[in-house]
Amino acid sequence: MTDIKEINGAQVQYINLYTSQAEAIKKHSAKAMNVLRDKAFDDFKRQQFPTRKVERYKYSDMQKLFEPDYGLNINRLDIPVDPYQAFKCDVPNLSTQLYFVVNDAFYTKALPKSNLPEGVIIDSLSNVATQNPELVSKYYGKLAKTNEDTITALNTMLAQDGLFVYVPKNVKVDRTIQVINILRSDVDMMVNRRVLIVLEEGAEAKFLFCDHAVDDRNFLATQVIEAFVGENASLELNCLEETHYKNARVSNVYIDQQRSSRVNHNVITLHNGFTRNMLNLVFKGEGAECHCNGCVIADKSQHVDNNILIDHQVPHCDSNVLYKYVLNDKSVGAFAGRVLVRKDAQKTTSQETNQNLCTTKEARMYTQPMLEIYADDVKCNHGSTVGQLNDAALFYMQQRGVSVEEAKLLLEFAFINEVIDKMELEPLRDRLHHLVELRFRGQLNKCEGCKLCK
C-alpha cells in the first residue's frame, strides 16, 4: 500500500474523506454503483494525482486544481432551486426532451411529460441502478477503467448519481435529449457527476448537454460519460459549456463503437475558468465512423485543455477530428490528439486537424497531434497551425470602411464557424452562430430568458 506520507497534499484530503465517509456515500447511492467504489479507492491511492510528467496531463496541473477544500453534498441534501421555472435555455426551432441535473443529482421533482418511444429510459442513474441493477451493472464502469486514470477513479469512488439513458434495439428518439447541468451552491462546492448512455443495435439518439453555473462560487466538477453505441446505431453528443471564471471542470468521455455505428461528438467551450476534456473513443466493429469536433473561445486567464485518443482496433473505420481555438488576453489552450491504428486495422481512414488563433502576444497555445500506425494499408493525415489574424485581410477590410474591431470580429467568426457548420442539428447551428458572435462582442453573460444567471 502507498505510504500516505509519500502522497501529495491534494490527494491526502480525498483519501481521508473517503476513509471517513465511505458508508455515508454508499448509503445515499445504489449497490450497482457502490460495488466499484472500494476498488476505485484503491486505484486512486495507488496512482496518485497526475503531474505534468504524465503524458496525457502535461498541459494541466491536476494537483493544484484539486488542492482547495471544497464542500460535497454527500448526504444528498435538497438544493433549493426549481430549474423548470427559473431556467430557460431554449434553442429556437429545436424540439427537445428537457431534463436537469442539479450539481450531480438528477432532478426528479417535476419530470417533463414523457413523449419517449416504448422502452426508452431517461432517469436518475441511482434510481435505475436500484430498480434494475442488472441493466446498470452490465455497462457501468466497463469503459471507464479506474486503474487507468486517476480522475476516473476519483469520480467512481465519489459519484452518487447522474443520468442514465437506454435506447432499445432499432428505436429512434426523434426529439433531441437536452440535459442542463446546473451548478448551484451557497459555498464552494465539488460535484461528481456520472452519465451512462446505452444505444442498442440500430438505435438512434441526439443529445445536447449544457453546463451552467448559477452562483458566484468556486465550483469543481468531475464528470465521467460512458457511451455504448451498438451495431448500426447512431449517437450525436453535443456538449456546450457556459459557466464562469470560477468554475473548474474535468470531463472524461468514453465511447465504444460497434460495427457500422456512427458517432458525432461536438464540444463547444464559450465561457469557463479551467476546463480539461478527455475523449477515449474505441472502434470495436468494422465499418464504423466518428466525427469529433471542438471549438474554444477563451480570454482573460482561462485555460482549456482537450485531450483525445481515437483507437482503431478493427479494419474499415473512419475517424475525423477538427478542433479550433481562438485565444485572447492571457488565456491558455492545449490540444493533444492521438490516433492509434493497430496492426489489424487495415483500410483505416483518419484525418486530424487542429487550427488556432492567438490574438494577443500573451495568449498561449500548445498543440500535439499524433499518429501511431501499425497497419500498412491506411490513409491517415494530421496537422496543426498556430497563427494570428491576417494583417492583409484586416487592412483590406479597413480600406473598405470596416473598423479594426469589427474586422477582427469578422475574421474570428469566420474562422470558428467551420466547426459549428459540421454539427448536424440545424437549429443548434443557428443558435451557436448567434452565441459565438455575442461571445466575440463581449455581450454573452447568460442565456436568453435565464432568471438564475444574474
Side-chain angles (χ1 to χ4, degrees):
M1 181 179 295
T2 304
D3 187 345
I4 197 169
K5 295 180 180 179
E6 299 177 359
I7 301 174
N8 64 72
Q11 191 167 11
V12 168
Q13 66 170 322
Y14 294 102
I15 292 175
N16 293 337
L17 169 69
Y18 189 80
T19 301
S20 62
Q21 299 294 326
E23 293 307 313
I25 292 171
K26 293 175 183 178
K27 178 182 177 181
H28 296 282
S29 189
K31 184 178 179 180
M33 298 179 69
N34 291 337
V35 71
L36 301 182
R37 291 191 195 280
D38 290 342
K39 180 183 181 301
F41 178 55
D42 290 339
D43 289 335
F44 176 74
K45 288 189 295 182
R46 186 184 68 258
Q47 295 175 94
Q48 304 187 37
F49 274 118
T51 66
R52 291 181 182 271
K53 294 181 180 180
V54 178
E55 181 65 26
R56 295 201 73 175
Y57 287 91
K58 65 189 298 183
Y59 303 117
S60 296
D61 189 343
M62 291 292 107
Q63 293 186 16
K64 182 179 179 180
L65 186 66
F66 284 85
E67 279 177 357
D69 184 13
Y70 292 94
L72 285 91
N73 189 9
I74 291 174
N75 292 316
R76 319 312 290 165
L77 301 178
D78 187 50
I79 304 297
V81 60
D82 184 353
Y84 286 98
Q85 290 297 321
F87 195 91
K88 303 293 182 183
C89 191
D90 296 329
V91 178
N93 303 316
L94 178 64
S95 178
T96 67
Q97 192 78 18
L98 183 61
Y99 300 89
F100 289 90
V101 174
V102 179
N103 291 337
D104 49 17
F106 186 79
Y107 190 81
T108 59
K109 290 186 177 180
L111 291 174
K113 293 182 179 180
S114 178
N115 294 309
L116 299 172
E118 184 177 356
V120 174
I121 301 172
I122 303 177
D123 201 351
S124 156
L125 176 58
S126 181
N127 285 349
V128 178
T130 300
Q131 299 167 7
N132 194 345
E134 295 82 7
L135 179 60
V136 172
S137 297
K138 182 179 179 181
Y139 298 101
Y140 185 72
K142 296 299 187 292
L143 299 180
K145 304 292 186 181
T146 58
N147 63 340
E148 296 178 358
D149 184 83
T150 309
I151 307 305
T152 295
L154 177 67
N155 177 277
T156 303
M157 79 188 205
L158 295 179
Q160 296 171 279
D161 193 19
L163 173 71
F164 179 79
V165 177
Y166 173 80
V167 183
K169 181 178 178 180
N170 294 328
V171 172
K172 179 179 180 181
V173 181
D174 292 322
R175 298 180 66 183
T176 300
I177 300 166
Q178 185 177 12
V179 181
I180 310 296
N181 295 318
I182 295 179
L183 295 173
R184 166 76 176 90
S185 178
D186 295 327
V187 299
D188 293 352
M189 178 68 71
M190 177 184 185
V191 304
N192 301 283
R193 186 186 311 121
R194 201 66 180 231
V195 178
L196 180 57
I197 299 171
V198 180
L199 304 185
E200 296 285 9
E201 178 183 345
E204 295 184 26
K206 298 181 179 66
F207 293 84
L208 173 57
F209 287 88
C210 303
D211 284 16
H212 298 276
V214 173
D215 296 300
D216 186 25
R217 295 289 181 179
N218 294 308
F219 290 99
L220 172 58
T222 74
Q223 174 178 265
V224 172
I225 298 177
E226 294 178 282
F228 295 82
V229 187
E231 184 175 340
N232 292 307
S234 177
L235 168 68
E236 180 170 349
L237 184 61
N238 302 289
C239 301
L240 171 63
E241 183 179 8
E242 291 181 83
T243 54
H244 56 57
Y245 74 99
K246 292 184 178 180
N247 183 70
R249 158 185 148 137
V250 183
S251 176
N252 291 353
V253 178
Y254 299 87
I255 300 177
D256 179 288
Q257 287 193 242
Q258 297 297 323
R259 180 185 295 272
S260 300
S261 62
R262 187 175 188 276
V263 167
N264 194 347
H265 180 241
N266 303 300
V267 179
I268 306 98
T269 304
L270 294 184
H271 264 303
N272 77 306
F274 181 102
T275 297
R276 205 269 177 176
N277 297 316
M278 184 179 79
L279 169 64
N280 282 13
L281 187 147
V282 181
F283 289 112
K284 292 289 187 64
E286 296 186 27
E289 65 174 298
C290 74
H291 299 266
C292 303
N293 307 301
C295 70
V296 174
I297 302 172
D299 54 20
K300 302 180 178 65
S301 59
Q302 296 168 347
H303 180 107
V304 184
D305 179 357
N306 285 292
N307 191 290
I308 298 171
L309 169 62
I310 308 293
D311 189 352
H312 288 260
Q313 296 187 355
V314 295
H316 298 283
C317 292
D318 299 334
S319 64
N320 298 275
V321 177
L322 174 63
Y323 273 68
K324 287 194 171 188
Y325 291 61
V326 176
L327 305 176
N328 206 340
D329 299 330
K330 296 181 179 180
S331 59
V332 176
F335 171 85
R338 177 178 168 222
V339 176
L340 171 60
V341 182
R342 298 183 184 268
K343 182 179 179 180
D344 295 329
Q346 304 293 342
K347 303 296 183 181
T348 287
T349 301
S350 177
Q351 177 65 51
E352 181 184 26
T353 305
N354 173 228
Q355 297 175 334
N356 313 283
L357 283 179
C358 292
T359 64
T360 64
K361 294 181 179 179
E362 293 79 16
R364 293 290 181 269
M365 182 68 203
Y366 302 92
T367 177
Q368 189 180 22
M370 295 170 280
L371 289 176
E372 188 173 345
I373 302 173
Y374 299 97
D376 54 15
D377 187 8
V378 301
K379 293 181 180 179
C380 299
N381 295 287
H382 72 303
S384 67
T385 60
V386 180
Q388 297 179 328
L389 293 173
N390 188 299
D391 289 337
L394 287 173
F395 179 77
Y396 177 85
M397 286 188 281
Q398 290 178 74
Q399 289 294 100
R400 280 148 183 80
V402 181
S403 68
V404 62
E405 292 80 9
E406 190 71 15
K408 288 181 179 179
L409 184 147
L410 291 173
L411 289 177
E412 293 170 346
F413 191 55
F415 177 79
I416 214 76
N417 274 349
E418 182 183 359
V419 176
I420 297 175
D421 288 339
K422 289 184 176 295
M423 299 179 185
E424 295 184 351
L425 294 172
E426 183 177 353
L428 179 58
R429 290 200 306 268
D430 294 341
R431 181 62 172 167
L432 285 173
H433 285 313
H434 176 64
L435 291 178
V436 166
E437 181 180 356
L438 292 180
R439 178 69 174 93
F440 282 134
R441 294 185 184 278
Q443 300 173 4
L444 181 61
N445 55 22
K446 68 174 184 175
C447 288
E448 187 175 345
C450 175
K451 300 178 182 178
L452 291 176
C453 304
K454 302 298 184 183

